[in-house]
C-alpha cells in the first residue's frame, strides 16, 4: 500500500528549521509492516537525518514510544494496517524534544530513581532463598512487565501541565517493590509518593492505562498505592 507519512521534525542546529515543522513522505509498505519499518524506510531511502530511538524492534527495550496518529504507542508494535494510509508521527509529549522524535528522557528517569526502584532488605539473608508464596508474588506481578517506555507518563494530562509530577511509570515501579513481601523500604517509597508531586496528583484520567503497550493496569496500580499511603497514615 502507498502511505503518506507526516512526521513532526525539529533540529535545533539547522538554520531556518530550528522550530518544529511537518514533513510528509510517500512510502510503499505492506499492511503487515510495522511503523518502525516505515520509519527505517524514510531514514534509509528518503532522509538520513531523521532521528528516532529504537533498539530491540520487538517491544522489549521501550525506546521507540511515539505519538502515532494521536496515540502513544511503540513504533515496533504498531502495524501499518491498523493505521490507515495517512499516518502522523510526533514525539511523545511533556518532555523536551532534542531532535525530531527524540526527547530528553532524563526527567523521566529522575522520577524513576526517586521511588527507589530496587530491592531493599538489610536483614541477614537466610541460609537458602528469601521465600515468597505464589499469592505474594502475584501482588506485584503486573509492574514487573514494565519496559520503561514512558508511553504512560507522557500521555498523562497532569504530567503535561506539571512535569514535576512523578508520573504513572514511576508509580508502577514503586508498586512493584512496595508490594514485594521481601522488601523493607515500602515506608520510604510511600513517603515520597505522599508528597505533592506524588500519587495525589493523579486524577484517574486513564490515559496511562490505554497507552501502556504491556497491558499493565496502570491506573489500578496507582489506586493500590494511594490506598497503601492512606492505610499507612491511618
Ligand atoms: Fe511503558 Fe507501561 Fe511501563 Fe508505562 S507502565 S513505562 S506505558 S510499559
Ligand atoms: Fe494521569 Fe493515569 Fe492518573 S493518565 S491522571 S496517571 S490515571
Ligand atoms: Fe525496542 Fe520498540 S524498539 S520496544
Amino acid at each position: 500500500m502507498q502511505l503518506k507519512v507526516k512526521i513532526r521534525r525539529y533540529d535545533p542546529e539547522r538554520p531556518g528549521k530550528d522550530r518544529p515543522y511537518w514533513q510528509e513522505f510517500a512510502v510503499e509498505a505492506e499492511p503487515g509492516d510495522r511503523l518502525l519499518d516505515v520509519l527505517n524506510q524514510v531514514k534509509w531511502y528518503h532522509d538520513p537525518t531523521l532521528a528516532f530511538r529504537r533498539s530491540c524492534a520487538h517491544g522489549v527495550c521501550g525506546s521507540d514510544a511515539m505519538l502515532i496518529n494521536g496515540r502513544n504507542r511503540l513504533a515496533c508494535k504498531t502495524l501499518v494496517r491498523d493505521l490507515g494510509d495517512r499516518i502522523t508521527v510526533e514525539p511523545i509529549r511533556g518532555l523536551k524534544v532534542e531532535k525530531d522524535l527524540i526527547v530528553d528522557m532524563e526527567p523521566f528517569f529522575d522520577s524513576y530513581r526517586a521511588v527507589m526502584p530496587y530491592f531493599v532488605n538489610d536483614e541477614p539473608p537466610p541460609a537458602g532463598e528469601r521465600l515468597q508464596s505464589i499469592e505474594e508474588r502475584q501482588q506485584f506481578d503486573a509492574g514487573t512487565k514494565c519496559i520503561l517506555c514512558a508511553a504512560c507518563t507522557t500521555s498523562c494530562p497532569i504530567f503535561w501541565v506539571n512535569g514535576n509530577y512523578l508520573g504513572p511509570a514511576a508509580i508502577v515501579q514503586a508498586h512493584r517493590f512496595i508490594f514485594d513481601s521481601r522488601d523493607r523500604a515500602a515506608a520510604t517509597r510511600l513517603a515520597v509518593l505522599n508528597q505533592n508531586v506524588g500519587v495525589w496528583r493523579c486524577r484517574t484520567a486513564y490515559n496511562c492505562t490505554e497507552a501502556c503497550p504491556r497491558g499493565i493496569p496502570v491506573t489500578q496500580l496507582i489506586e493500590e498505592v494511594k490506598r497503601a499511603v492512606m492505610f499507612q497514615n491511618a
Side-chain angles (χ1 to χ4, degrees), residues 108 145-153 169 172 208 211-214 216 218:
F108 175 80
K145 298 178 173 33
C146 176
I147 55 171
L148 290 170
C149 67
C152 54
T153 297
V172 164
C208 52
C212 181
R214 303 287 292 173
I216 298 170
V218 181

Side-chain angles (χ1 to χ4, degrees), residues 152 155-159 165 167-168 201-209 218-219 222:
C152 54
S155 70
C156 173
I158 306 297
F159 180 74
Y165 170 38
R201 290 267 162 194
C202 170
R203 296 289 187 272
T204 52
Y206 272 94
N207 290 18
C208 52
T209 300
V218 181
T219 311
I222 295 171

Side-chain angles (χ1 to χ4, degrees), residues 25-224:
F25 300 90
V27 178
E28 185 71 34
E30 295 297 324
D33 283 349
R34 303 158 307 173
L35 184 70
L36 180 60
D37 302 314
V38 173
L39 293 176
N40 281 335
Q41 264 206 65
V42 172
K43 187 169 177 70
W44 295 338
Y45 303 113
H46 296 262
D47 185 349
T49 69
L50 178 66
F52 55 99
R53 288 194 180 102
R54 72 284 190 201
S55 181
C56 71
H58 286 91
V60 178
C61 73
S63 63
D64 62 342
M66 44 191 85
L67 193 62
I68 303 165
N69 282 2
R71 273 188 54 197
N72 275 7
R73 323 181 206 215
L74 298 179
C76 67
K77 283 192 76 180
T78 304
L79 298 182
V80 164
R81 66 165 171 249
D82 297 327
L83 296 173
D85 55 8
R86 301 193 76 85
I87 301 172
T88 60
V89 187
E90 302 167 66
I92 46 178
R93 291 184 179 146
L95 294 166
K96 184 174 168 291
V97 179
E98 293 188 326
K99 187 168 189 284
D100 296 335
L101 303 173
I102 295 181
V103 298
D104 177 9
M105 294 289 285
E106 267 316 301
F108 175 80
F109 284 111
D110 285 344
S111 297
Y112 170 63
R113 287 186 281 266
V115 300
M116 302 164 63
Y118 42 81
F119 184 68
V120 179
N121 188 332
D122 293 333
E123 295 163 8
E129 297 171 62
R130 294 183 198 272
L131 293 177
Q132 182 165 64
S133 70
I134 291 171
E135 291 73 26
E136 285 170 336
R137 175 64 178 73
Q138 274 170 348
Q139 274 202 289
F140 63 90
D141 186 66
T144 64
K145 298 178 173 33
C146 176
I147 55 171
L148 290 170
C149 67
C152 54
T153 297
T154 60
S155 70
C156 173
I158 306 297
F159 180 74
W160 295 337
V161 294
N162 183 350
N164 292 324
Y165 170 38
L166 290 173
I171 301 171
V172 164
Q173 290 294 325
H175 181 288
R176 183 255 169 269
F177 292 98
I178 289 167
F179 290 92
D180 187 331
S181 58
R182 303 161 300 178
D183 187 271
R184 297 291 177 264
T188 313
R189 292 190 195 93
L190 291 173
V192 172
L193 291 163
N194 196 22
Q195 291 172 2
N196 71 349
V197 292
V199 281
W200 306 114
R201 290 267 162 194
C202 170
R203 296 289 187 272
T204 52
Y206 272 94
N207 290 18
C208 52
T209 300
E210 283 170 16
C212 181
R214 303 287 292 173
I216 298 170
V218 181
T219 311
Q220 182 193 317
L221 302 193
I222 295 171
E223 293 303 305
E224 288 175 15

